[in-house]
Amino acid sequence: MRVSRLALTVWILSPWCVSWAADDPAAIEFFENRIRPVLVEHCYKCHAADADKVRGKLLLDTREATRAGGETGPAVVPGKPEKSLLLSAIKHEDLEMPPDRRLPKEVVADFEKWIRAGAADPREGPAAADVVHQEIDIEAGRKFWAFQPVVHPSVPNVRDKSWPRDEIDAFVLARLEDAGLQPVAAADTETLLRRLCFDLTGLPPTVEQRARFERATAANVTSAVVDLVDELLDSPAFGERWGRHWLDVARYGESNGNSRNATFPYAWRYRDYVIQAFNRDTPYDEFIQQQIAGDLLPAPSVDERNRNLIATGFLALGSKPVIRGGNGKGFIPDVAADQIEVTMRGILGMTVFCARCHDHKFDPIPTTDYYALAGIFASSQTLYGGSRGNMGGAPATGFHVLASRDAGEVKAYEDWKKRLANLQKRQREVGREVKKLRPRKKGAAPKNPQKYDQLLAEQKEIAKELKKLQQDRVEPPGQAMGIAEGDKVTEVPVYVRGEKASGPPIPRHFLTVAYEGEMPSLPPDSSGRLELAQWLTSPSNPLAARVIVNRIWSHLFGEGLVRTVDNFGVNGDRPTHPELLDYLAAEFVANDWSMKRFIKRLVLTRTYQLSSAHQDKNYEADPDNLLLWRHPRWRLEAEAIRDAILTASGQLDLTPPQGSVVESRGEVLIQDKLTPDTFHQPSNHRSVYLPILRNGLPEMLEVFDLGDPSLVVGKRDTTTVPSQDLYLMNSPFVIEQAQHFARLLQAEAKDDGSRIELAYLRALGRQPTDPERQRAASFLAMSREALEKNTADTDQRLTDAWASLCQALFVSAEFRYLR
Amino acid sequence: MFSRRQVLKTVSSGFGYVAMAGLCAEQTRAGFSSPLLPKRPHFEPKAKRVIFMCMRGAPGQTDTFDYKPRDRKVISSNITPKSKGKYSGKGPAGSVVPFSQYGKSGLWIADSMPNLGQHADDLCLVNSMHTDLPNHPQSYLMLHTGDFRFARPSVGAWTLYGLGTENQNLPGFISINAETRVGGAQNYGSAFLPAIYQGTPIGHVGAEMSEAGIRNVNCKHLPANLQRRQIDLVQETNRELLEASQVDTQLEGVIESLELGFRMQTSVSEVLDVSRESESTLERYNVGKTKAVGRCRDDDFGRQCLMARRLAEAGVRYIEVCHSNWDQHGNHVKEITANGQAIDKPIAALIQDLKDRDMLKDTLIVWGGEFGRTPLSNENGGSNHNNKGFSFFLCGGGVQGGLRYGSTNDTGAVAIENKVHTHDLHATMLHLLGLDHEKLTYRYAGRDFRLTDVYGHVVHDIIA
């Protein structure tokens, strides 16, 4: 037997070894007295066949199992302490065992001695593999609600037949009636107007919109609301609002963040793509397919082709780690990890990420599923840029080159690129030949002097031509981050703890538990992204539709029916209205995955149009509004607050900007003097267009909870902290907008009374109450007086006084809350 | 005792607001409660606050706190596995600057830091630090967040999440002279923890500390009394809205936080205004000293230490200061000596002031960088990166003074005895603050995350 012979050799050669052989009774005695008790006391709890849960697939209760080892390799190699993971673990070198304490030094020394001497071990029994293969039970896992096929449930009966306006309302009312609760009354039209405008476009109603809506509701409330909703859904502002919701999920950022904050100059194209997709009402299934495999989809026109390429930016935008050591190891797997995370959590609400290191502890997702998906991305090539070593040694990549309608422009670029590639290829060939012929010693003659000189001359010529070609660089018509097919299909093995490869490559496939029927094998000559994209959005996939309807619901009702919008797993919340969720998912798919139509239907329900009034009885029974007895009150998102300030001050520029500030700076590192602040120049465009730099967000958006753009964020935090108030009280942006607001009031209204009225209308979307009028007037008078010392310029003083009132409106809670 | 809503209804003057805020700070009743209020730790803490002195660039351990005389026969290949080519040198390697012993404990400290030496018996030198990688960007993030691959919360953010903070009028986590490279804001970010736990920066590396402050705390556009009236006007409307809304904890929160913001304008300006200190204090902290090494002015680091003291006194939970000139690839001896001189007086003054205020016992000072350096054999050389062995010192906050813990090999390059990983340092820092690093978890994306991931051991041996 190989192992024991090896042990014996070591024994003979090692002068420091005690003098017994592996099966020597003395050796067995040493094991029984010094080793076995330690194993029993400190290891068996997790590493014995009768353990509650065997950790790391390692058993230490038989000789064979101990030598076979677990996930990370053999625990004991007789005679080789340095190769025995058990010893390294109890020394707390790499692994650290036992996890809660260190064994005394003498005990560690005993183990070293024992292993060096051949690791005598009388314990018979099978090796680990036979016992420990604790498979995740996929079939049992399928019984979990989220993996069950979506069914179209029947609409429940309700007692109050007059209340439901839509079948959706019946689902809500049925639950309320069961609980003995009554929904509150409908919101008044003023509240509804503000709610609809912010929810659908992220902007407050304009004074004109308000007047129009008032007239229309006087005639017919229902048709007025429908018309308003249609108008809002048709406006470009709709995509700017709802696109931003998706950008949160897509962890959109325009720089890398992490430890090397390189800019992503073309990321903005993805942002614009998303906004346009919402405005165009791209069906959600197509929207997803474009983002996962746009490069592989047929596209009849240049525009469609470009759109599809840009869409794949979804997979390239993630924050990437600086690579280890500089040899590229670890980089591709980390990029794939981000891609798996954004795809699985963003689209399916599944935390597959956990299965990178071990079988998922809660959900029926084995590591093999993770590495099956990793194979799909490893067989693709991510185009993130990273030139000039900006990504800290990560291999630089190109971008998707966008087509242009001007064929000549494209051809010029393609020709240039081809010339460059040919020249570079020739340069490498010549270089190799020169190296072959180069004399070994300095001064010696080369093997073939004539050819050698000829090659050298050619080398010079190539260098000259290359330089010229670089100078006459032809810029591509446009570039975009994204993903393309890789050079070859690469299937990857499971990496135990995410670090150490073990076993054969895993065939690429999808999430087993969510796949209905036999898993197909993916084509051997392509990455499988196209098939992944189709599976994600196939009607048989139980998750995609549920997850997106829940996301949309959460943006209109404050919370999702599943409150953990990014997690539909065992650790996530259960749906408060499971039948309603299925009903919505089924209806959504039946209506061609149209997000606009779905949103329209939701906002026209009675449930959506409830007031946010308090009601004692309901509040006692259901303080969290799980049963939807009222509309929630919530704080506006950062973008909406900023856009509302610019709207009130009359400064908002509704035209989208061309590109992004980040593009104009090119591929650079954000550091030292090139701080994020140098990118954040004053802008009157909508907030969705501000540069979203990782580790350097626009101040206002950060203060109001934009969140970390490296992470999938389906639901933002809403914090209430003084930095928000201080921003509204003292930031140059707010102070400046208050000045604009003041000048606008002075210009557009003649007397103080109508100016105050206009101020309230523009800022809060309502008339001031009488006490408010009085308070504002007396504050204004006081402000004029207090500012007398500030400036001699009486006009400016007057504007300042008005600005102090305008700012008070910006600071007020009502300004940033929606009810 | 009357309810807060009653207070809100009855109070109308500015004075009343302050009284109300006092009430709110002790709130225990249901309803709005700031997540930054002090929280009970897992067990009795030794330290109440942390001052982390980050030495960016990786200080050479053998020329600061790990004395390795070079009078031995050591072959060059021993220096470190990473050390080759021009860095390898020949002959014995070790300390290339003079050292002396200080205090009863006789700790060896480089001669550039005689004032710090006076506090030797309060210092705990950890000579056996090690970390995963010898690259600045990764290891700097590792030191600050425990991870270098993904966006994770910083140590300060975890601390705030676990303990809240004592002074609600100031941010609970402040990073002075924050780095712009190597992870930038991620080093004091909150990642998936709620944003309120992230650090507030004061200035950044390369900026003048004398001009650095916290954004938006100075009201320049309105006279102070007018701004108060402006806030009164707002609060009156807010209260009416609250009354109309009946129950609305979020709105209560806004009303409260607005008052807090208003007060912070005064409290922040006051606490950061070092000109209130006496001449002799300023001198002890090197304030006004124009000498510079690299991009670090002595005055800047002195101000940072003085601010750190003032912030600690005011009840800020976690304070980081940064000296960013420790990457001595060339000119090693001259620069590392100048660095020692730059930090010597201010740190000594800070320790002394904390002692005088009886605050050293519960203020944990942590000094160190992202990793260490290769020891030199030739004083004319430059040193290279080394993650296998380096030194930290801890002081106050329940650690044993006058202790040298762990050791490196003969050259000072590789930690060999009682090794302490960055994760272990984090576990120990949390432990001193009364937090169990395995229990301080946050559920994100379906799993419980912690600062130390699946690693980290508390170094009990250094705890007093």
Side-chain angles (χ1 to χ4, degrees):
Chain A
M1 191 182 163
R2 206 181 70 86
V3 173
S4 54
R5 194 171 63 238
L6 197 70
L8 199 67
T9 320
V10 174
W11 175 66
I12 292 165
L13 294 178
S14 308
W16 55 82
C17 187
V18 286
S19 60
W20 24 255
D23 52 355
D24 188 307
I28 301 294
E29 195 186 324
F30 186 82
F31 172 81
E32 293 297 349
N33 291 338
R34 313 284 278 274
I35 304 298
R36 191 198 287 254
V38 179
L39 290 172
V40 172
E41 188 183 341
H42 295 290
C43 312
Y44 278 17
K45 193 170 161 237
C46 304
H47 299 294
D50 57 357
D52 286 344
K53 187 158 189 207
V54 177
R55 302 281 179 172
K57 298 187 178 164
L58 170 67
L59 291 187
L60 293 173
D61 56 351
T62 70
R63 180 182 60 234
E64 291 313 313
T66 306
R67 292 181 185 179
E71 287 176 342
T72 41
V76 166
V77 181
K80 302 237 165 171
E82 70 285 355
K83 290 201 170 153
S84 300
L85 288 174
L86 175 64
L87 187 65
S88 126
I90 62 176
K91 280 181 169 173
H92 282 215
E93 284 174 351
D94 188 9
L95 295 164
E96 298 177 340
M97 290 293 155
D100 52 342
R101 87 206 72 173
R102 275 176 188 229
L103 297 176
K105 282 182 188 144
E106 311 79 68
V107 174
V108 175
D110 282 346
F111 269 82
E112 185 155 4
K113 190 167 152 187
W114 170 64
I115 294 170
R116 204 180 286 289
D121 188 344
R123 299 171 303 158
E124 301 291 340
D130 303 318
V131 189
V132 191
H133 218 54
Q134 286 186 338
E135 276 284 325
I136 282 184
D137 189 339
I138 301 278
E139 282 315 312
R142 280 191 218 278
K143 298 199 176 97
F144 186 66
W145 76 269
F147 304 118
Q148 294 281 312
V150 174
V151 290
H152 197 297
S154 54
V155 181
N157 283 320
V158 289
R159 284 192 287 279
D160 183 356
K161 300 260 188 286
S162 67
W163 195 81
R165 190 182 291 154
D166 184 298
E167 290 180 342
I168 294 167
D169 293 321
F171 284 94
V172 174
L173 185 63
R175 292 291 312 276
L176 285 167
E177 286 181 345
D178 282 351
L181 303 181
Q182 269 209 327
V184 296
D188 59 67
T189 53
E190 201 160 66
T191 305
L192 189 59
L193 171 69
R194 196 168 136 90
R195 184 187 295 170
L196 281 167
C197 287
F198 272 115
D199 279 356
L200 299 185
T201 65
L203 293 171
T206 61
V207 175
E208 302 74 46
Q209 240 170 350
R210 189 173 171 276
R212 215 163 354 111
F213 188 63
E214 237 170 44
R215 282 197 301 276
T217 46
N220 181 333
V221 177
T222 312
S223 71
V225 173
V226 172
D227 289 348
L228 174 72
V229 169
D230 283 336
E231 177 196 324
L232 295 172
L233 290 172
D234 275 348
S235 96
F238 167 77
E240 288 162 340
R241 164 77 171 175
W242 283 79
R244 185 59 245 186
H245 291 326
W246 182 257
L247 294 175
D248 281 4
V249 172
R251 43 91 182 95
Y252 170 76
E254 297 182 64
S255 73
N256 186 57
N258 199 283
S259 49
R260 300 268 295 183
N261 203 359
T263 50
F264 291 164
Y266 308 116
W268 65 270
R269 287 190 198 276
Y270 174 77
R271 173 199 70 199
D272 285 4
Y273 154 79
V274 170
I275 291 171
Q276 284 154 18
F278 274 91
N279 277 336
R280 207 178 270 131
D281 198 18
T282 305
Y284 182 71
D285 55 345
E286 284 176 33
F287 182 56
I288 293 305
Q289 286 166 19
Q290 288 166 1
Q291 293 177 74
I292 303 295
D295 55 318
L296 305 173
L297 295 175
S301 76
V302 168
D303 287 347
E304 278 167 90
R305 174 74 186 152
N306 285 348
R307 190 194 311 156
N308 288 349
L309 292 178
I310 292 168
T312 64
F314 177 71
L315 292 170
L317 284 162
S319 169
K320 290 160 192 69
V322 166
I323 58 174
R324 291 179 199 222
N327 60 4
K329 229 170 108 184
F331 182 72
I332 300 297
D334 282 345
V335 172
D338 166 73
Q339 291 163 334
I340 291 174
E341 165 81 347
V342 74
T343 309
M344 292 296 125
R345 209 142 75 80
I347 300 169
L348 301 184
M350 281 291 129
T351 56
V352 177
F353 195 72
C354 297
R356 184 179 185 184
C357 303
H358 46 71
D359 288 347
H360 201 296
K361 290 193 173 157
F362 308 106
D363 294 327
I365 302 171
T367 43
T368 46
D369 271 9
Y370 178 92
Y371 288 95
L373 289 164
I376 294 175
F377 294 115
S379 305
S380 308
Q381 193 200 357
T382 308
L383 305 171
Y384 50 81
S387 68
R388 296 196 292 276
N390 276 353
M391 301 279 288
T397 73
F399 294 103
H400 275 311
V401 173
L402 302 178
S404 162
R405 262 165 294 188
D406 178 353
E409 197 185 358
V410 183
K411 189 169 181 309
Y413 173 70
E414 291 297 335
D415 287 351
W416 178 82
K417 216 170 62 172
K418 207 181 280 166
R419 283 215 305 282
L420 183 71
N422 285 340
L423 215 52
Q424 282 167 335
K425 189 171 158 228
R426 183 67 196 141
Q427 190 180 36
R428 282 193 299 274
E429 286 166 3
V430 174
R432 270 196 299 272
E433 285 178 56
V434 167
K435 209 171 163 191
K436 263 190 238 155
L437 295 179
R438 184 178 292 148
R440 293 285 155 85
K441 283 191 194 125
K442 226 178 181 179
K447 281 176 201 151
N448 183 344
Q450 200 185 348
K451 186 160 184 217
Y452 186 67
D453 288 345
Q454 197 188 329
L455 284 170
L456 286 183
E458 193 183 350
Q459 223 172 11
K460 257 190 207 156
E461 191 56 35
I462 293 174
K464 221 164 90 187
E465 268 184 63
L466 263 178
K467 200 173 159 194
K468 189 163 178 306
L469 204 56
Q470 297 285 11
Q471 276 165 356
D472 303 338
R473 186 178 185 87
V474 178
E475 291 297 337
Q479 303 188 81
M481 301 176 84
I483 198 164
E485 291 291 89
D487 296 336
K488 59 181 194 306
V489 168
T490 311
E491 294 188 331
V492 286
V494 167
Y495 282 70
V496 173
R497 289 174 157 239
E499 285 167 355
K500 198 174 168 189
S502 95
I506 306 295
R508 292 159 297 149
H509 64 249
F510 316 134
L511 267 198
T512 315
V513 70
Y515 197 87
E516 211 182 51
E518 182 97 358
M519 189 75 75
S521 54
L522 294 177
D525 54 352
S526 63
S527 66
R529 269 187 300 116
L530 184 60
E531 292 75 10
L532 173 67
Q534 286 159 349
W535 169 70
L536 284 171
T537 52
S538 86
S540 70
N541 184 317
L543 290 163
R546 279 194 184 115
V547 168
I548 187 63
V549 297
N550 189 59
R551 288 192 188 285
I552 292 173
W553 182 278
S554 76
H555 293 306
L556 294 170
F557 293 88
E559 297 279 359
L561 294 169
V562 176
R563 293 203 161 194
T564 51
V565 294
D566 295 326
N567 186 0
F568 276 43
V570 172
N571 262 353
D573 287 347
R574 303 294 176 273
T576 50
H577 298 69
E579 295 82 15
L580 176 56
L581 182 66
D582 268 20
Y583 174 85
L584 296 174
E587 288 281 299
F588 179 66
V589 174
N591 280 288
D592 311 322
W593 306 76
S594 160
M595 292 191 273
K596 263 193 192 178
R597 268 183 278 160
F598 183 64
I599 290 168
K600 179 175 176 181
R601 188 167 166 195
L602 290 186
V603 298
L604 293 179
T605 60
R606 204 178 277 278
T607 310
Y608 174 82
Q609 295 182 10
L610 289 177
S611 94
S612 66
H614 175 80
Q615 216 251 41
D616 276 334
K617 186 186 164 211
N618 289 353
Y619 189 79
E620 285 297 318
D622 179 21
D624 294 328
N625 195 29
L626 292 168
L627 297 180
L628 304 164
W629 52 269
R630 67 162 166 185
H631 196 82
R633 305 157 173 173
W634 80 64
R635 201 202 68 211
L636 293 171
E637 294 81 356
E639 291 88 346
I641 300 174
R642 182 178 170 279
D643 291 352
I645 290 174
L646 286 168
T647 306
S649 71
Q651 296 295 302
L652 183 64
D653 180 355
L654 279 170
T655 53
Q658 274 298 313
S660 162
V661 178
V662 182
E663 185 185 26
S664 65
R665 304 288 172 90
E667 284 196 83
V668 291
L669 275 176
I670 304 171
Q671 62 182 23
D672 299 340
K673 289 213 159 57
L674 195 60
T675 59
D677 282 348
T678 61
F679 289 76
H680 298 307
Q681 298 302 315
S683 157
N684 288 345
H685 289 292
R686 291 202 67 182
S687 308
V688 68
Y689 297 113
L690 296 179
I692 305 299
L693 304 177
R694 294 195 170 105
N695 298 343
L697 293 173
E699 186 190 359
M700 162 123 198
L701 305 192
E702 182 171 40
V703 166
F704 286 97
D705 303 314
L706 176 63
D708 191 325
S710 302
L711 307 169
V712 173
V713 180
K715 182 170 163 41
R716 292 187 190 175
D717 289 327
T718 307
T719 61
T720 306
V721 284
S723 55
Q724 295 162 349
D725 304 290
L726 286 167
Y727 186 87
L728 296 170
M729 284 157 66
N730 294 328
S731 73
F733 172 76
V734 175
I735 291 167
E736 195 192 322
Q737 295 312 317
Q739 286 277 333
H740 286 301
F741 195 180
R743 276 187 224 113
L744 183 146
L745 296 177
Q746 289 174 313
E748 291 198 0
K750 290 207 172 62
D751 56 276
D752 282 5
S754 50
R755 280 175 188 159
I756 290 172
E757 192 176 305
L758 185 59
Y760 272 75
L761 271 180
R762 290 190 72 95
L764 306 178
R766 66 171 175 86
Q767 300 275 0
T769 62
D770 285 341
E772 279 172 336
R773 282 176 206 272
Q774 283 158 23
R775 282 204 300 265
S778 67
F779 172 73
L780 206 57
M782 190 176 60
S783 185
R784 281 177 197 145
E785 198 185 304
L787 289 166
E788 218 149 88
K789 292 190 209 86
N790 263 28
T791 167
D793 180 343
T794 46
D795 283 349
Q796 182 58 42
R797 199 192 307 155
L798 205 55
T799 306
D800 287 350
W802 277 105
S804 67
L805 176 66
C806 293
Q807 190 185 20
L809 292 170
F810 292 155
V811 180
S812 73
E814 189 178 346
F815 186 82
R816 54 187 133 138
Y817 277 83
L818 206 53
R819 29 197 58 233
Chain B
M1 184 77 185
F2 39 107
S3 82
R4 179 142 22 89
R5 193 155 319 110
Q6 278 172 297
V7 178
L8 293 170
K9 281 178 185 167
T10 52
V11 173
S12 62
S13 74
F15 171 77
Y17 284 117
V18 178
M20 181 206 76
L23 264 175
C24 296
E26 295 160 29
Q27 60 198 297
T28 48
R29 59 185 282 274
F32 173 78
S33 162
S34 163
L36 288 172
L37 289 175
K39 285 175 226 171
R40 197 184 297 277
H42 299 141
F43 43 81
E44 190 63 34
K46 304 240 181 205
K48 286 191 180 147
R49 65 198 75 83
V50 173
I51 299 176
F52 175 36
M53 309 200 142
C54 182
M55 301 296 119
R56 149 90 155 98
Q61 67 280 8
T62 48
D63 297 313
T64 48
F65 296 105
D66 189 6
Y67 182 43
K68 294 288 170 183
R70 281 189 301 152
D71 52 3
R72 297 151 292 119
K73 283 198 174 138
V74 183
I75 52 167
S76 57
S77 61
N78 251 11
I79 295 176
T80 146
K82 276 266 164 192
S83 180
K84 20 180 197 265
K86 63 178 173 168
Y87 299 114
S88 64
K90 285 193 176 70
S95 304
V96 291
V97 301
F99 272 65
S100 303
Q101 282 183 294
Y102 290 92
K104 286 196 201 114
S105 54
L107 291 184
W108 288 94
I109 294 175
D111 281 1
S112 55
M113 297 178 278
N115 291 291
L116 187 54
Q118 299 311 311
H119 299 287
D121 292 340
D122 293 299
L123 302 186
C124 169
L125 307 185
V126 180
N127 286 148
S128 52
M129 292 292 302
H130 66 116
T131 190
D132 293 352
L133 293 173
N135 301 335
H136 297 296
Q138 293 101 325
S139 291
Y140 201 79
L141 271 179
M142 178 73 164
L143 177 60
H144 285 83
T145 70
D147 199 328
F148 56 82
R149 290 188 295 180
F150 306 108
R152 297 287 177 255
S154 57
V155 186
W158 279 109
T159 305
L160 271 200
Y161 166 64
L163 295 178
T165 184
E166 283 172 5
N167 186 341
Q168 302 297 314
N169 292 347
L170 290 172
F173 168 20
I174 292 181
S175 181
I176 310 179
N177 199 31
E179 249 304 337
T180 62
R181 293 177 169 229
V182 292
Q186 201 166 314
N187 289 299
Y188 51 88
S190 60
F192 48 71
L193 289 178
I196 41 166
Y197 298 121
Q198 76 191 4
T200 301
I202 297 182
H204 58 86
V205 166
E208 289 261 1
M209 284 318 298
S210 55
E211 310 200 338
I214 294 177
R215 278 178 165 167
N216 304 327
V217 291
N218 294 323
C219 175
K220 291 182 195 135
H221 67 299
L222 295 178
N225 61 339
L226 180 58
Q227 194 192 37
R228 180 64 251 178
R229 304 306 282 263
Q230 187 190 39
I231 300 303
D232 288 346
L233 177 72
V234 172
Q235 293 288 47
E236 217 159 335
T237 322
N238 289 350
R239 278 197 315 280
E240 281 176 2
L241 188 63
L242 180 59
E243 219 164 319
S245 312
Q246 297 180 284
V247 177
D248 194 330
T249 52
Q250 230 179 8
L251 198 48
E252 287 180 41
V254 174
I255 291 170
E256 191 178 315
S257 107
L258 184 53
E259 284 310 316
L260 189 48
F262 183 77
R263 288 200 307 276
M264 278 175 80
Q265 299 180 109
T266 323
S267 51
V268 169
S269 319
E270 274 176 16
V271 77
L272 294 182
D273 183 5
V274 301
S275 70
R276 293 165 183 243
E277 298 286 340
S278 70
E279 280 292 315
S280 70
T281 301
L282 296 177
E283 198 272 325
R284 284 194 299 126
Y285 281 88
N286 278 352
V287 172
K289 200 169 159 213
T290 52
K291 198 180 147 204
V293 48
R295 51 182 176 169
C296 296
R297 287 168 292 261
D298 283 8
D299 170 79
D300 283 341
F301 188 72
R303 278 175 194 278
Q304 292 180 50
C305 290
L306 188 48
M307 278 190 220
R309 191 210 78 204
R310 295 174 63 91
L311 292 168
E313 281 180 283
V316 175
R317 184 71 74 188
Y318 195 101
I319 304 150
E320 175 167 339
V321 301
C322 177
H323 188 284
S324 63
N325 190 60
W326 292 89
D327 201 14
Q328 272 73 52
H329 288 286
N331 221 357
H332 176 96
V333 170
K334 192 175 163 210
E335 286 210 1
I336 205 159
T337 305
N339 285 344
Q341 289 162 351
I343 64 166
D344 176 47
K345 269 178 67 187
I347 300 182
L350 173 65
I351 295 175
Q352 187 60 50
D353 281 358
L354 291 174
K355 276 185 193 168
D356 292 347
R357 288 157 176 78
D358 197 25
M359 284 172 63
L360 189 62
K361 65 177 194 310
D362 53 16
T363 304
L364 174 64
I365 298 177
V366 179
W367 180 101
E370 61 267 46
F371 43 77
R373 310 199 72 77
T374 54
L376 297 181
S377 57
N378 166 3
E379 50 251 53
N380 297 322
S383 51
N384 202 7
H385 300 174
N386 172 20
N387 61 311
K388 306 279 182 199
F390 57 99
S391 292
F392 257 61
F393 81 70
L394 283 70
C395 173
V399 300
Q400 272 187 56
L403 178 72
R404 180 181 156 274
Y405 181 79
S407 60
T408 47
N409 64 347
D410 269 357
T411 62
V414 183
I416 48 170
E417 183 206 4
N418 290 330
K419 290 163 74 174
V420 179
H421 190 275
T422 311
H423 292 306
D424 304 328
L425 174 74
H426 290 158
T428 310
M429 287 167 73
L430 291 184
H431 180 86
L432 289 165
L433 288 162
L435 297 169
D436 180 338
H437 71 105
E438 293 185 11
K439 291 198 184 123
L440 185 67
T441 61
Y442 186 82
R443 176 147 297 183
Y444 163 73
R447 97 171 160 90
D448 289 333
F449 281 83
R450 46 181 247 225
L451 170 60
T452 50
D453 196 3
V454 297
Y455 312 98
H457 291 275
V458 175
V459 186
H460 288 283
D461 293 348
I462 65 169
I463 295 170

